[in-house]
Amino acid sequence: MENIGYVDEIFSSTDSAVNSNDFIIALFVVVFDTKKGNCIEWCIPNDIDLTGVEFKAIVSGSHTVIEDFVYFRHQEHYGLSCFALKSVNNAEERGARMKSVGIICTKYTSLHEHQDFLELQVKYVLEKQYQYHDLISYYFTYRNCPNRNNAFIEIKDTDDEVKYKKHFSVLKIRHPVGCFSQFIAYFGVSIFVLWKFLLLKKRILLFAPPPVGAQCYRVYCLGLLANHGYDLHRNFVNNLFYVNVGNLLALQNMDSFIA
């Protein structure tokens, strides 16, 4: 895993260490190498464990689309990555440069807050290779920022009310306007079958070739639908978002999930 040298010169290891107050765990750039495949080109902090993220940030079949985005689960955290493809005139890259710029956050309800920035950055790093100043600045500016990470919590008097408010953001849909109505229109009356499966805590796996962004929104909406029927204090849906063949063994051992 490569990192740019001046990161360590500007920021000490103490400054870049992940702490319990962080909303943003990491930022990263993934590139498709014609000889090595998907690789982590850069990340901050530079000692963060991103094992397997390179295969989620650039999904299988991405060479067939110009741009896409993907939500995914990484360990106990959640990620969003924006992908773009650029035609280039060189033999080494075989005519196409493919990169993805992504973020790892503590909760998936904050990921959309960063999407516009990631979409701009992936286009930038395709043009200006190995230039990560904006990503570094963004990380240190917003990693502890509640406003940028959809983390406002209204504190009440009782512990139960505080717990309720902390999890209430799960019910808020902050994606593009009309997302949930499009979700209902897409599934039609089948949404009642899905709701039944959700209430029974079944394993639900949606399939789609790239682009997968819309499918990630559908997983998000299924999570909203499931939480509407559950006790918010105890039952939370296991939203995995994008999964691939590398997750098959783990999926076999899960009793309930949405992916």
Side-chain angles (χ1 to χ4, degrees):
M1 185 181 301
E2 297 181 358
N3 212 329
I4 49 178
Y6 59 77
V7 173
D8 292 329
E9 296 173 5
I10 299 175
F11 305 111
S12 68
S13 59
T14 303
D15 291 331
S16 63
V18 175
N19 62 65
S20 59
N21 296 321
D22 287 346
F23 296 106
I24 298 175
I25 304 302
L27 286 167
F28 60 86
V29 177
V30 172
V31 62
F32 176 77
D33 185 280
T34 55
K35 296 179 180 178
K36 300 177 182 178
N38 295 6
C39 302
I40 302 290
E41 178 180 280
W42 173 89
C43 67
I44 188 170
N46 57 11
D47 58 351
I48 194 76
D49 180 13
L50 295 179
T51 304
V53 165
E54 65 270 32
F55 300 110
K56 296 178 179 179
I58 299 182
V59 307
S60 179
S62 288
H63 63 282
T64 62
V65 298
I66 301 299
E67 57 185 17
D68 195 10
F69 67 92
V70 58
Y71 279 54
F72 58 89
R73 181 82 172 265
H74 177 61
Q75 298 172 358
E76 71 273 22
H77 302 128
Y78 295 90
L80 166 64
S81 190
C82 293
F83 166 84
L85 180 150
K86 173 182 170 61
S87 297
V88 293
N89 187 23
N90 66 67
E92 183 180 354
E93 295 177 283
R94 298 180 184 174
R97 181 178 300 155
M98 293 180 280
K99 292 193 178 186
S100 189
V101 176
I103 192 168
I104 305 291
C105 293
T106 54
K107 56 192 183 75
Y108 64 81
T109 52
S110 69
L111 293 174
H112 65 279
E113 300 281 2
H114 310 287
Q115 187 164 346
D116 289 343
F117 172 75
L118 297 176
E119 288 175 347
L120 289 173
Q121 282 300 300
V122 70
K123 294 175 182 177
Y124 178 78
V125 298
L126 280 173
E127 296 287 346
K128 307 285 187 180
Q129 295 207 77
Y130 314 116
Q131 299 296 315
Y132 312 117
H133 298 84
D134 291 344
L135 290 166
I136 295 169
S137 176
Y138 192 89
Y139 173 75
F140 284 101
T141 301
Y142 295 117
R143 68 173 180 171
N144 306 123
C145 178
N147 185 23
R148 190 68 172 183
N149 290 279
N150 190 24
F152 287 116
I153 299 172
E154 182 182 349
I155 303 299
K156 296 294 185 179
D157 294 333
T158 67
D159 290 340
D160 286 342
E161 286 176 325
V162 171
K163 290 178 183 177
Y164 182 86
K165 287 295 181 180
K166 283 184 178 180
H167 294 301
F168 191 72
S169 61
V170 175
L171 293 177
K172 295 191 302 182
I173 186 155
R174 298 283 297 276
H175 290 306
V177 176
C179 179
F180 200 80
S181 61
Q182 292 173 15
F183 165 75
I184 295 173
Y186 180 81
F187 284 107
V189 295
S190 297
I191 197 170
F192 294 104
V193 178
L194 288 169
W195 195 7
K196 180 179 72 174
F197 289 157
L198 290 167
L199 293 173
L200 293 172
K201 298 185 179 180
K202 297 291 186 179
R203 297 186 290 183
I204 298 177
L205 180 64
L206 306 180
F207 171 79
V212 300
Q215 204 76 324
C216 291
Y217 279 161
R218 289 168 190 147
V219 172
Y220 191 103
C221 290
L222 282 171
L224 294 176
L225 192 62
N227 277 305
H228 179 68
Y230 287 161
D231 180 346
L232 286 176
H233 293 290
R234 297 181 179 86
N235 298 302
F236 290 96
V237 178
N238 188 15
N239 276 9
L240 301 180
F241 296 101
Y242 175 75
V243 295
N244 53 32
V245 293
N247 303 115
L248 290 180
L249 183 60
L251 294 178
Q252 289 178 354
N253 297 322
M254 294 182 186
D255 295 326
S256 177
F257 63 79
I258 308 172

